[in-house]
Amino acid sequence: MAAEKHGPLEQFSVKPLLKIELGGLDLSFTNSALAMVITVVAISVFLVFGMRSGRLVPGRWQSMAEGSYEFVGNLLRETIGAEGRKYFPYIFTLFMFILFGNLLGMVPSHFTFTSHIIVTFAMALVVFIFVTILGFAKHGIRFFSFFVPPGAPLAMWPLLIPIEIISYLSRPISLSVRLFANMLAGHTLLKVFAGFVVALGAAGVVPLVFIVALTGLEILIAFLQAYVFAILTCLYINDALHLH
Amino acid sequence: MPQIQQLGTYPSQVFWLFVTFVVLFLIMRFAVIPKITQVLEQRRDKMEGDLERAAALKEEAEATLAEYEAAVASGRAKAQEVIRQTGEDMSNRATAEHQALGQRLSGQVREAEARIAGARDAALADIQSMSAEVAQAAAERLAGLKVDKKSADAAVKAATQARV
């Protein structure tokens, strides 16, 4: 524990800021919760104030706000089609929440809540449960035909159906681990190289340059992972709506 | 790794994730998304309206042009008609006048001929009667014959007829 205090993983430790206990559960307001609140405030400020004037010819800020809206709108249209409109508020919130969580995590000393497996897993599990319920609500018992690959010979079914079910059940795991691992690895790597800068003295310029490049890459990954999470959610919804 | 070691923080993390996410969802769903949708729709409507107005103006311009061209064409046709009509009228009148003049002239010629014939007849008659008188007088004076007027006339007539 003591060794971890100043190690590259120390940045991920959750520290309670305000002790709250409800029904025997520790629901303390932590640095992770603070990061979430800051994320929500940042998104709201970005979008509400960006659109405040609602000009016909948008300025820079309004263009960015509209751009994020249209980006998610196109994502839904391309993956689900016209019926995807219904899920827009949810996908938009999900995308913005992860994107801002990732990007704000790039600010030094700001906690990155998406680097915690429990947070990403909770989000992925909600997506998984929502999609499964949607599939059953739309197709009833026929939803199980989703686990039978179309055109597969009957003899292959005993082999293919378990594979399909396992791949379906592993969706929340792959969805959550992808985001969590990317954030964890990126931030750990930055911290490790930052340690080299101090340790190497004058030669520390080399890892410093590397950190600058890596920061750029991490910002790209922050965006990319939010995009991947949103597009996979869209694809899962599309699967539930159209089966194959 | 705190992610796995700090199991005690899981309820808190999930709880605050849920709370903040729902709050963000509500802000997006009821404030941000309607606003952006409204602005984008307003812009699309404005653009569509502008395009429609431009199309209407174009149509109007085309209609005006067509109207103008029709007016020019009908004017040209009318002018052609007037020219043709006038030409026809003039040639009609010319032939009519020509005919009338011919008729009048031939009438005058006939009249003149009739007058001449009358005059000649009258002259001939005068000549006959004078010849008869001359013949009467000559016969009285030369032969001492009293010839009555009737037989003198007949004799002159016979003589002139034989001559002619």
Side-chain angles (χ1 to χ4, degrees):
Chain A
M1 198 71 187
E4 249 183 32
K5 259 284 174 245
H6 302 288
L9 296 176
E10 190 265 338
Q11 56 175 323
F12 299 116
S13 62
V14 177
K15 299 181 195 96
L17 302 175
L18 186 70
K19 288 267 183 211
I20 301 172
E21 218 173 285
L22 225 78
L25 274 176
D26 176 20
L27 301 179
S28 299
F29 191 81
T30 59
N31 51 352
S32 166
L34 179 67
M36 291 174 190
V37 170
I38 290 171
T39 299
V40 169
V41 171
I43 296 168
S44 303
V45 167
F46 171 63
L47 292 175
V48 172
F49 285 86
M51 295 307 296
R52 193 182 38 182
S53 50
R55 276 192 298 269
L56 216 54
V57 179
R60 275 178 225 156
W61 194 353
Q62 194 184 328
S63 285
M64 286 199 290
E66 284 175 11
S68 62
Y69 175 98
E70 281 178 339
F71 181 78
V72 177
N74 287 336
L75 188 70
L76 272 163
R77 205 164 25 254
E78 281 159 21
T79 51
I80 307 178
E83 29 180 347
R85 267 325 287 175
K86 276 198 293 257
Y87 312 105
F88 181 78
Y90 177 57
I91 303 291
F92 186 65
T93 309
L94 198 61
F95 174 74
M96 295 306 276
F97 191 66
I98 297 171
L99 178 66
F100 273 67
N102 290 350
L103 286 177
L104 288 172
M106 292 307 298
V107 176
S109 84
H110 188 283
F111 188 84
T112 315
F113 61 82
T114 46
S115 68
H116 272 256
I117 182 70
I118 183 63
V119 172
T120 62
F121 187 72
M123 288 193 287
L125 198 64
V126 169
V127 168
F128 177 78
I129 292 168
F130 171 68
V131 163
T132 307
I133 290 172
L134 185 69
F136 276 112
K138 179 108 178 154
H139 300 287
I141 205 77
R142 271 188 49 238
F143 181 64
F144 284 114
S145 73
F146 181 66
F147 300 116
V148 184
L154 199 66
M156 295 293 283
W157 283 21
L159 183 65
L160 286 173
I161 290 172
I163 291 176
E164 288 287 329
I165 289 174
I166 289 167
S167 93
Y168 186 77
L169 292 178
S170 64
R171 276 175 174 185
I173 298 164
S174 66
L175 195 58
S176 58
V177 168
R178 186 181 298 111
L179 176 57
F180 146 74
N182 266 286
M183 290 303 117
L184 174 75
H187 283 80
T188 308
L189 206 60
L190 279 175
K191 196 78 169 194
V192 168
F193 275 91
F196 288 167
V197 175
V198 181
L200 290 178
V205 178
V206 179
L208 185 66
V209 169
F210 197 79
I211 282 180
V212 172
L214 205 61
T215 304
L217 180 72
E218 281 304 310
I219 288 170
L220 177 73
I221 287 174
F223 176 81
L224 197 68
Q225 287 307 317
Y227 175 69
V228 166
F229 203 101
I231 201 168
L232 282 173
T233 305
C234 290
L235 287 174
Y236 294 163
I237 291 174
N238 185 47
D239 276 348
L241 289 177
H242 305 117
L243 296 184
H244 287 292
Chain B
M1 202 157 68
Q3 282 90 336
I4 296 163
Q5 283 163 346
Q6 295 185 305
L7 285 176
T9 65
Y10 277 18
S12 147
Q13 288 197 63
V14 172
F15 172 76
W16 287 106
L17 170 70
F18 183 75
V19 169
T20 50
F21 193 87
V22 167
V23 168
L24 182 67
F25 179 80
L26 294 177
I27 295 170
M28 295 297 113
R29 173 71 183 76
F30 293 105
V32 168
I33 292 173
K35 175 74 176 166
I36 300 181
T37 308
Q38 180 220 325
V39 169
L40 291 181
E41 264 170 14
Q42 210 178 317
R43 185 173 309 149
R44 204 181 46 224
D45 288 352
K46 171 97 171 76
M47 275 153 93
E48 271 171 9
D50 284 357
L51 284 177
E52 261 166 36
R53 223 175 42 231
L57 283 174
K58 185 169 176 265
E59 226 162 73
E60 206 173 289
E62 272 169 0
T64 309
L65 182 65
E67 221 167 82
Y68 162 77
E69 273 172 355
V72 166
S74 87
R76 191 171 292 148
K78 216 178 276 172
Q80 218 85 10
E81 177 64 17
V82 167
I83 289 168
R84 199 186 57 76
Q85 190 72 48
T86 311
E88 214 167 73
D89 280 0
M90 274 158 72
S91 75
N92 279 351
R93 219 158 61 204
T95 35
E97 270 173 19
H98 190 247
Q99 254 170 12
L101 187 65
Q103 261 166 12
R104 213 169 64 218
L105 286 177
S106 63
Q108 279 174 352
V109 166
R110 266 199 306 277
E111 215 173 284
E113 276 172 350
R115 241 185 5 244
I116 289 166
R120 201 189 58 196
D121 284 354
L124 275 176
D126 277 358
I127 287 168
Q128 260 174 15
S129 72
M130 266 166 64
S131 304
E133 275 169 34
V134 168
Q136 239 177 327
E140 204 177 318
R141 186 98 45 98
L142 293 175
L145 280 174
K146 266 247 194 234
V147 182
D148 62 353
K149 193 169 167 19
K150 211 170 199 169
S151 48
D153 270 354
V156 170
K157 210 165 207 170
T160 51
Q161 221 128 53
R163 186 84 51 87
V164 174

